[in-house]
Amino acid sequence: MVQRIITKEIIAKNGKDKVKFYGFKIGQLAIKESAMHAPKPGLISTVLSFKDKTFGEWLPVWVWLIVHPEGIFLIDTGLSSEVKQAGYFKPLDFISRYYFEKQMKFEIKREEELDYMLQKIGIASNQIDKTILTHLHIDHTGGMKHLLQVPILVYEKEWKTQDGAFPKLFPQNIHIQPVKLEESFELFEHAHYLTKGKDLVMISTPGHTRGHVSIALLGNKNKIYLFGGDVTYTQNRLYDNTFSATIKDHKDNKKSCENILALAKKFNIIFLPTHDMGNIDRLKNEEEIKIDNNKE
Ligand SMILES: [Zn+2]
């Protein structure tokens, strides 16, 4: 039986409150093997990967729900099972449609979507105070249709640039709130605090898309739970400096990874990227980013 829900309780940064958070596995996807490991990401690598017949390993799609004394926050929304329906990608241009239908594989059942997951832990979608999107790719936005009453925060830059985003697939009545990252957090110069206690913060980690963000939940004892979105697909790829063909800006992506590793010198970071099955054990064992493992 595949584990689809992670439950974690931590002591808040103030040392008093408890913060509970959940991980939901909302489907999985795969891209071509050669697109998974592109020595030089970009359009040419992407097109070359079209000839590749083999798909890479299945990547889970994790979504995070944080039950914090200041509110309930959802990070990303996962896949929609509609990706499995014929014609779902029909509104898109030919190339994009071809990419999603032939160059990617998806696996998700209706009962794995966000609304079912929330039901399982007894939280109604209208209890969620804010949703924060790390970026606008379809495996992060597919559950927005279940959040029509919830403000959805997106970094203003992401909302403007929309790298690899398909607004034609977004539901009609969503409430997007573009957010400026006008504060700073440690070495990250573009950040936005989501709580008055300054223990939940959006930080700019560009590269995968130009407006990509990660979200840091600060715990006590110098701990950070870092919801990394797609800054890298897995923790191993952070250590190995491996990037997929389709990232928007390789240089920025590398810099974002360096910044995370630099932050790990000061804080005990538990890294939780969207597409890593290792998140389950990492949270269970409180396994932090090890700087020594980093091949430089
Ligand atoms: Zn992505």
Side-chain angles (χ1 to χ4, degrees):
M1 184 66 190
V2 188
Q3 187 178 344
R4 298 193 198 283
I5 299 184
I6 303 173
T7 308
K8 181 83 182 172
E9 200 170 83
I10 65 159
I11 308 286
K13 187 181 147 209
N14 64 17
K16 295 196 309 251
D17 294 325
K18 286 203 171 111
V19 177
K20 195 167 182 178
F21 67 87
Y22 301 88
F24 303 130
K25 179 175 174 277
I26 301 190
Q28 54 186 354
L29 55 83
I31 60 173
K32 290 292 180 65
E33 178 64 33
S34 56
M36 280 288 285
H37 308 274
K40 229 178 172 221
L43 188 62
I44 293 169
S45 296
T46 305
V47 173
L48 283 175
S49 76
F50 288 5
K51 291 197 296 184
D52 188 355
K53 294 260 190 302
T54 47
F55 279 91
E57 57 178 318
W58 282 109
L59 300 170
V61 179
W62 291 104
V63 164
W64 305 95
L65 184 85
I66 302 170
V67 182
H68 185 282
E70 288 192 43
I72 300 182
F73 302 88
L74 180 74
I75 300 172
D76 287 330
T77 70
L79 274 170
S80 163
S81 59
E82 289 170 83
V83 294
K84 301 288 286 178
Q85 291 168 12
Y88 178 66
F89 295 110
K90 214 174 166 186
L92 308 189
D93 62 281
F94 175 77
I95 303 277
S96 304
R97 190 179 170 189
Y98 169 76
Y99 183 78
F100 286 125
E101 289 180 351
K102 305 287 180 202
Q103 301 298 322
M104 284 189 83
K105 281 195 305 188
F106 300 99
E107 220 176 61
I108 174 156
K109 296 194 191 83
R110 176 65 189 89
E111 59 270 25
E112 291 170 53
E113 283 190 25
L114 178 66
D115 55 339
Y116 276 86
M117 291 294 184
L118 291 171
Q119 219 175 64
K120 277 189 183 157
I121 60 156
I123 285 183
S125 66
N126 59 12
Q127 285 177 271
I128 298 171
D129 293 285
K130 280 169 186 168
T131 294
I132 304 106
L133 298 179
T134 58
H135 62 298
L136 295 169
H137 287 168
I138 63 160
D139 49 323
H140 300 256
T141 55
M144 293 197 298
K145 60 183 174 178
H146 303 302
L147 300 163
L148 299 182
Q149 294 129 10
V150 184
I152 299 174
L153 277 58
V154 181
Y155 180 21
E156 189 183 60
K157 191 169 180 182
E158 179 71 5
W159 192 244
K160 273 188 194 146
T161 47
Q162 304 209 337
D163 294 328
F166 297 93
K168 278 181 187 164
L169 301 176
F170 294 169
Q172 287 282 308
N173 305 315
I174 46 172
H175 302 286
I176 299 285
Q177 286 186 1
V179 175
K180 289 190 166 93
L181 304 187
E182 292 180 320
E183 295 161 290
S184 67
F185 170 69
E186 296 295 325
L187 70 168
F188 296 89
E189 285 166 7
H190 302 282
H192 172 73
Y193 292 90
L194 296 156
T195 53
K196 290 196 187 83
K198 292 201 158 195
D199 58 352
L200 191 63
V201 53
M202 280 169 82
I203 54 178
S204 166
T205 49
H208 180 74
T209 62
R210 280 171 286 178
H212 184 280
V213 299
S214 300
I215 289 99
L217 170 65
L218 280 66
N220 74 330
K221 296 189 178 158
N222 230 20
K223 198 142 240 178
I224 292 180
Y225 296 85
L226 185 63
F227 306 99
D230 288 5
V231 66
T232 62
Y233 288 160
T234 63
Q235 174 157 289
N236 284 339
R237 290 165 73 97
L238 176 72
Y239 292 143
D240 297 344
N241 247 308
T242 312
F243 300 95
S244 69
T246 49
I247 60 170
K248 187 68 187 175
D249 190 314
H250 193 197
K251 214 174 117 203
D252 277 359
N253 208 156
K254 276 169 118 171
K255 181 74 193 153
S256 294
C257 291
E258 281 166 24
N259 285 345
I260 289 171
L261 292 168
L263 190 71
K265 288 182 181 160
K266 188 169 167 189
F267 292 89
N268 306 317
I269 300 182
I270 297 178
F271 186 50
L272 303 163
T274 300
H275 300 298
D276 196 347
M277 225 37 209
N279 291 338
I280 297 174
D281 284 343
R282 212 172 297 132
L283 274 172
K284 204 195 310 178
N285 307 327
E286 293 278 315
E287 194 188 301
E288 294 151 8
I289 292 181
K290 291 179 195 76
I291 296 299
D292 301 340
N293 277 6
N294 176 32
K295 293 168 203 157
E296 294 201 339

